[in-house]
Every structure is written in structure tokens, then in C-alpha cells.
């Protein structure tokens, strides 16, 4: 008993109920009642049942959780948190009958945000984006993926990535950055999408990789963005620079983007409203995570849901993310997404929480260090004032976060 790592921990939470979300723990939520979790040097060092612990021999700070639930820190694995301006006018246009695609074809949509983002310098962009990051973090998000994609020149894409990398200097959140230069064709390349793809492959990807500004490469495979052939060139260039890939796929139509992503062993394929059985099978075979984005589905009032039953039947890991962006999901709340994943897509509360923890970590290639409560992982976790973890997907808007622990330390936002 005395040689348990628990006795050399810096901090120990006793009388805790752990929703480990670890598949090695057979109960729903990977739940462990009456347990102790200990932290050392920012990592989870021990998880033990209360009855095996000699409390008086603990050396570190002891925190009595009093039976409270502890979950892993939430992970928002798909966001566009860094951008300038807003697109509130577009919701008026859409409610008057224009579609998202109509607005994009008229030079609005993504390009409207490109104009607003290019107009800001790094400090202005950081200040515009930080409140959004703080909103996510305040409700329990400890890791956020942030994409570029509103610069669409070499300089502006790198500017976005630099802002994304350093935005967290002021906030206790881990950031994973994704290059989304292939988001849409900028006006300088109107009618010449292949020339723009060449710029992405030959200049933007190499520069972002050389400067270590990027953890993965994303793209938008869609009628209003890029064809599967063009996307394949971007994926190949990313892989030549040792970068994992992911895709916005099957959001507005079925282009076969998920199948293509699977062919390149993508970390994730995201949106997926129009995914078919062949796409599901491809994701299952490649181990690619299906990232569902109920905020965009809701905000665009999409007519078709992603095929959750097919994904489940095929055993595809399902993540849930906010897609926080000005055009399709101006909603800075991962808790709201858990709720909508259940009410709109039919996930269970346990599936939705797995989607914002274990599977979200997998979608970022970070499953070894994040996403569950397990010995050796980063000590990012949350102590909640709730009776049951299902409340995290059920109730919305009431602050229930008692303690936010980031790298083993208290880190309120
Ligand atoms: O994830 N689908 C493409 N990209 C974003 C929307 C970007 C925008 O409209 O600004 C999305 O929905
Ligand atoms: Fe997105």
C-alpha cells in the first residue's frame, strides 16, 4: 500500500466519483465510485479505491470531493475560434430565403470573414478572438482545436496560426492548430481554383510546417469549395510534410469527401450530414473519427441528419464539437453541443460526453495523453456539482463546474 504512487502525489482528491470515460473500466461513463485521484507534476499519477487508501499517510494536499463527480477536461476538437467581424446579417438573408450556398456564391459567407480577418493585425485578431476562447474554457473546455482558413494568403494564414498558437498565453487551455487554407477559393484566384490549390500545396503547407505552426491539415470538400481531386492534392502535400489530415466532408452534399479522407488515414471527417454507407465503411476501416457538429446543423436548419445509426453499427468513434465560427455556428458552448447531439442527433448523454472527451482526443491525435482519466495522462479534469453525468448533456446554462483543473493546478477562467 505504501509504495503506491498516491503517497508521493502533489494533490489528491478523495471521496470522488470518477467518470473516467476509459473503455478499460466496464461501467457506463467508465464510472468508479468512491475513488481517489492523485496528481504529480501535472499528470494523473494514481487512481485508487478509497478503501485501499491510508488517508493519514498522504503527503500532498488533500481535497475532499465529498462524493462529487470528476470528468476529464472537455475537448473541443473542431473550432474556427480565431476570426474578425461577424456575419449576423447573413442570418437575416437566410431567413428571407437565401441559402448558405447562395450567400457564398454572392461573395459573402466564408469570404466575408476573410475580408474582416485580413483587415486585423495579430494583436487585434487575438483581442477579437480571446472572449470566445474564454467562453469555451469557462464551461470546462481544457483543449481547443483552432483552424486557420479565413486568411487564404500565405501571410494571412500564418498570421491566423500564430494568433491561434499564442492566444492561450492568457488562458489555461491547450491549443491544437489546424491549417485550413483550402477552405474556399479567395477572390484573387476566382475561376482558378487549381492555381490556388497549387499555392496551398507548394507554399502555404510547406511554410506552416517549417515554422511548426500547425498540427494537422484540414480542407472543405464541397461544391462551393474544392473537388475530391483537388482535396487529394492537398492531402498528399500535407502527408509529404509529415502532417495528419482531416476534412469538412458531406456537410451540404455527398462528394465522397469522407471516403477520400479515409484513404489518407485522416484523423477525422467532420459534419457528415450527407454521409452514405460506403463512407461509413471507409471511416470504420481507416479508424477515422466522425466529428458531429450539431451547432452548424441547427444554425443552418439543415434538412438531413448525419447517419448516427450507421456510424454506431460500424463502430466508428463519434466526437462532438462546437464548430465555433461566425457563419454556421456562432455558438461558443460545448455544453450546448452535448445537449444538441442528444436532442437533434439522438446520441445518448454518455455517447455525447465520450464525443467531447475520449473521441475528441482521438480526433486530434492526442488520445495517448488526453481524453480519459487514466494514470499517465495529463491532469486536466473537472469537478462538478451534479448528481449524475447525464446532467452535463441535459441541463444547460446553469454553472455546475466546481473546480477546473488544468495540468494539475486550479485554473478558473
Ligand atoms: O465548419 N463548412 C465550412 N466551414 C465552416 C463554416 C465557415 C463559415 O461559414 O465561415 C463550417 O461550417
Ligand atoms: Fe468547421
Amino acid at each position: 500500500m505504501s509504495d503506491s504512487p498516491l503517497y508521493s502525489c502533489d494533490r489528491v482528491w478523495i471521496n470522488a466519483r470518477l467518470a473516467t470515460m476509459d473503455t478499460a473500466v466496464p461501467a457506463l461513463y467508465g464510472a468508479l465510485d468512491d475513488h481517489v485521484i492523485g496528481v504529480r507534476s501535472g499528470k494523473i499519477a494514481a487512481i485508487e479505491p478509497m478503501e485501499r487508501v491510508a488517508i493519514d499517510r498522504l503527503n500532498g494536499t488533500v481535497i475532499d470531493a465529498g462524493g462529487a463527480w470528476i470528468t476529464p477536461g472537455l475537448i473541443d476538437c473542431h473550432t474556427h475560434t480565431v476570426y474578425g467581424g461577424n456575419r449576423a446579417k447573413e442570418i437575416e438573408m437566410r431567413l428571407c430565403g437565401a441559402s448558405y450556398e447562395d450567400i457564398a456564391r454572392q461573395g459573402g459567407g466564408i469570404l466575408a470573414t476573410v475580408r474582416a480577418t485580413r483587415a486585423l493585425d495579430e494583436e487585434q485578431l487575438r483581442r477579437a478572438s480571446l472572449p470566445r476562447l474564454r467562453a469555451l474554457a469557462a464551461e470546462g473546455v481544457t483543449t481547443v482545436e483552432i483552424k486557420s482558413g479565413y486568411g487564404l494568403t500565405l501571410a494571412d494564414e500564418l498570421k491566423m496560426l500564430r494568433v491561434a498558437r499564442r492566444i492561450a498565453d492568457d488562458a489555461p487551455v491547450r491549443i491544437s492548430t489546424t491549417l485550413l487554407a483550402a477552405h474556399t477559393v479567395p477572390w484573387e484566384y476566382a475561376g482558378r481554383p487549381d492555381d490556388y490549390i497549387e499555392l496551398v500545396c507548394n507554399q502555404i503547407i510547406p511554410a506552416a510546417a517549417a515554422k511548426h505552426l500547425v498540427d494537422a491539415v484540414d480542407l472543405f470538400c464541397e461544391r462551393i469549395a474544392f473537388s475530391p481531386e483537388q482535396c487529394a492534392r492537398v492531402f498528399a502535400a500535407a502527408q509529404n510534410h509529415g502532417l495528419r489530415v482531416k476534412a469538412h466532408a458531406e456537410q451540404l452534399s455527398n462528394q465522397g469527401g469522407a471516403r477520400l479522407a479515409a484513404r489518407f488515414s485522416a484523423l477525422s471527417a467532420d459534419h457528415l450530414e450527407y454521409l452514405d454507407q460506403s463512407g461509413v465503411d471507409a471511416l470504420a476501416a481507416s479508424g477515422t473519427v466522425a466529428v458531429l457538429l450539431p451547432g452548424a446543423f441547427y444554425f443552418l436548419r439543415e434538412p438531413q441528419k448525419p447517419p448516427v445509426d450507421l456510424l454506431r453499427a460500424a463502430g466508428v468513434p463519434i466526437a462532438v464539437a462546437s464548430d465555433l465560427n461566425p457563419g454556421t455556428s456562432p455558438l461558443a458552448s460545448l455544453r450546448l453541443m452535448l445537449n444538441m447531439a442528444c436532442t437533434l442527433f439522438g446520441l445518448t448523454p454518455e455517447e455525447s460526453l465520450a464525443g467531447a472527451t475520449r473521441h475528441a482526443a482521438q480526433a486530434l491525435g492526442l488520445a495517448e495523453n488526453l481524453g480519459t482519466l487514466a494514470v499517465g495522462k495529463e491532469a486536466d479534469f473537472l469537478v462538478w456539482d451534479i448528481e449524475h453525468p447525464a446532467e452535463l448533456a441535459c441541463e444547460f446554462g446553469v454553472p455546475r463546474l466546481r473546480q477546473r483543473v488544468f495540468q494539475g493546478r486550479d485554473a478558473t477562467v
Side-chain angles (χ1 to χ4, degrees):
M1 189 200 277
S2 57
D3 32 279
S4 161
L6 202 54
Y7 299 100
S8 51
C9 280
D10 310 323
R11 307 179 82 194
V12 180
W13 282 254
I14 63 167
N15 290 316
R17 283 195 277 182
L18 307 179
T20 66
M21 305 312 290
D22 187 346
T23 50
V25 180
L28 203 59
Y29 298 95
L32 296 171
D33 279 346
D34 282 327
H35 266 66
V36 168
I37 182 166
V39 164
R40 193 165 117 173
S41 307
K43 303 255 198 288
I44 298 173
I47 292 177
E48 302 270 357
M50 272 299 280
E51 75 221 20
R52 294 233 307 263
V53 181
I55 304 284
D56 55 338
R57 300 197 20 215
L58 292 172
N59 288 308
T61 308
V62 175
I63 299 140
D64 189 348
W69 281 98
I70 300 182
T71 68
L74 302 181
I75 298 173
D76 196 344
C77 67
H78 180 143
T79 88
H80 308 250
T81 303
V82 170
Y83 61 82
N86 75 77
R87 306 238 293 280
K89 272 192 201 137
E90 290 182 10
I91 191 170
E92 301 207 288
M93 293 168 75
R94 283 195 288 107
L95 290 171
C96 291
S99 72
Y100 181 69
E101 288 195 61
D102 295 335
I103 295 168
R105 288 185 205 287
Q106 290 161 23
I110 294 169
L111 290 179
T113 302
V114 171
R115 274 188 287 275
T117 303
R118 285 187 186 176
L120 301 184
D121 66 24
E122 279 184 42
E123 184 50 28
Q124 291 168 327
L125 192 51
R126 194 187 67 87
R127 267 191 272 123
S129 307
L130 192 55
R132 294 187 279 268
L133 183 75
R134 285 191 188 285
L136 292 174
E139 52 162 37
V141 174
T142 48
T143 299
V144 179
E145 184 256 20
I146 301 179
K147 301 176 194 296
S148 65
Y150 293 124
L152 312 188
T153 64
L154 174 61
D156 289 297
E157 285 293 301
L158 297 183
K159 174 180 80 177
M160 285 192 73
L161 292 171
R162 279 195 298 271
V163 171
R165 277 274 201 247
R166 79 185 179 90
I167 188 172
D169 292 354
D170 289 342
V173 190
R174 252 169 246 288
I175 303 290
S176 176
T177 57
T178 301
L179 179 71
L180 178 58
H183 200 186
T184 196
V185 182
W187 50 89
E188 296 89 350
Y189 286 84
R192 297 186 295 130
D194 288 311
D195 292 349
Y196 180 63
I197 289 293
E198 206 171 295
L199 175 79
V200 171
C201 294
N202 297 342
Q203 291 189 42
I204 304 182
I205 290 174
K211 292 177 193 297
H212 303 288
L213 283 171
V214 72
D215 300 309
V217 170
D218 196 352
L219 47 74
F220 190 16
C221 185
E222 192 51 73
R223 292 183 295 231
I224 52 168
F226 298 102
S227 69
E229 293 70 31
Q230 291 161 340
C231 292
R233 289 164 59 195
V234 174
F235 282 161
Q239 289 190 342
N240 282 341
H241 287 86
L243 293 167
R244 300 290 303 270
V245 300
K246 40 181 61 219
H248 286 68
E250 275 64 278
Q251 180 186 14
L252 308 169
S253 63
N254 185 352
Q255 301 290 311
R259 278 200 310 276
L260 178 77
R263 187 144 67 75
F264 284 87
S265 304
L267 286 167
S268 71
D270 304 37
H271 286 289
L272 305 177
E273 278 81 347
Y274 289 83
L275 186 70
D276 62 14
Q277 184 69 57
S278 70
V280 171
D281 294 341
L283 295 181
S286 61
T288 299
V289 177
V291 179
L292 305 187
L293 305 169
F297 170 86
Y298 154 83
F299 196 70
L300 292 184
R301 301 191 302 157
E302 284 291 334
Q304 184 162 324
K305 295 182 202 184
V308 168
D309 289 344
L310 300 183
L311 290 166
R312 262 195 205 117
V316 176
I318 299 174
V320 175
S322 72
D323 196 15
L324 173 56
N325 78 76
T328 70
S329 189
L331 307 166
S333 170
L334 192 54
R335 286 285 306 283
L336 177 59
M337 300 305 139
L338 299 188
N339 180 289
M340 293 202 291
C342 296
T343 55
L344 300 178
F345 293 165
L347 263 59
T348 66
E350 202 266 350
E351 286 174 320
S352 76
L353 188 58
T357 53
R358 184 174 75 244
H359 293 154
Q362 195 180 336
L364 297 179
L366 299 173
E368 245 178 67
N369 298 316
L370 297 173
T372 64
L373 300 179
V375 171
K377 290 208 176 182
E378 298 288 338
D380 294 357
F381 54 78
L382 311 168
V383 187
W384 298 96
D385 285 320
I386 55 174
E387 298 287 317
H388 191 277
E391 287 170 50
L392 299 176
C394 176
E395 187 182 58
F396 176 70
V398 185
R400 299 287 184 200
L401 187 56
R402 183 194 297 181
Q403 194 175 14
R404 183 180 183 281
V405 179
F406 180 69
Q407 298 176 329
R409 301 211 179 92
D410 288 0
T412 38
V413 180

